[in-house]
Amino acid sequence: MLSIVWPVQRLGKGGAMSNQDDLERIRKIRDRQLGLRDHSVETKRVQHEISKKRRRSVEKFSFGGIFKDIPKMIIGTLIGMVFGILVFLILPYLTDAAWVDIAGVIITIFGAVFGFFYGRAMDAKDALSDF
């Protein structure tokens, strides 16, 4: 004879499962299923993740960041020119020779060219370090 075995029911305190326990269990299952289907919870979670990623991606403004974005050959040229101009302005106070103006211009040009090539070398080093 073939017999069918039914799944074992959970037993309450008194042995058999009461209707109240059964209703409570069904209510919990239904609430859990509704919570899983609630799109507002998922939408809030997704919006929270998007806003977190957006806050991380937006960088704060800083002058150091501006100077990091400028190529070093331009910064080197500017620094060399500033150095040359300072020498051009200070040199007449140190000596009264006629060649002071010409020397100041030559030093300014030399400083700009040296700064350009030094900055270009630093840019090349940074580009090679990326590999």
Side-chain angles (χ1 to χ4, degrees), residues 72-90:
K72 289 186 176 77
M73 64 182 177
I74 294 174
I75 293 174
T77 303
L78 293 175
I79 291 173
M81 287 179 70
V82 167
F83 174 74
I85 291 172
L86 287 175
V87 169
F88 182 73
L89 294 175
I90 294 173

Side-chain angles (χ1 to χ4, degrees), residues 4 10 17 19 26 30 87 90 95 101-102 105 124 127-128:
I4 298 175
R10 289 189 330 183
M17 186 181 232
N19 282 342
I26 291 172
R30 188 194 64 166
V87 169
I90 294 173
T95 182
D101 293 335
I102 295 171
V105 170
L128 290 175

Side-chain angles (χ1 to χ4, degrees), residues 27-92:
R27 222 179 263 127
K28 286 180 183 178
I29 291 172
R30 188 194 64 166
D31 290 342
R32 194 175 334 130
Q33 287 176 344
L34 287 175
L36 291 175
R37 280 192 271 160
D38 190 10
H39 294 293
S40 65
V41 173
E42 181 68 17
T43 304
K44 285 179 185 177
R45 187 187 66 77
V46 169
Q47 291 297 329
H48 179 69
E49 290 294 321
I50 290 172
S51 64
K52 260 192 347 188
K53 287 179 183 177
R54 171 115 171 94
R55 271 185 254 123
R56 268 189 261 135
S57 69
V58 175
E59 295 180 17
K60 294 181 179 177
F61 176 77
S62 69
F63 287 107
I66 291 174
F67 289 117
K68 282 184 180 179
D69 292 339
I70 297 174
K72 289 186 176 77
M73 64 182 177
I74 294 174
I75 293 174
T77 303
L78 293 175
I79 291 173
M81 287 179 70
V82 167
F83 174 74
I85 291 172
L86 287 175
V87 169
F88 182 73
L89 294 175
I90 294 173
L91 202 57

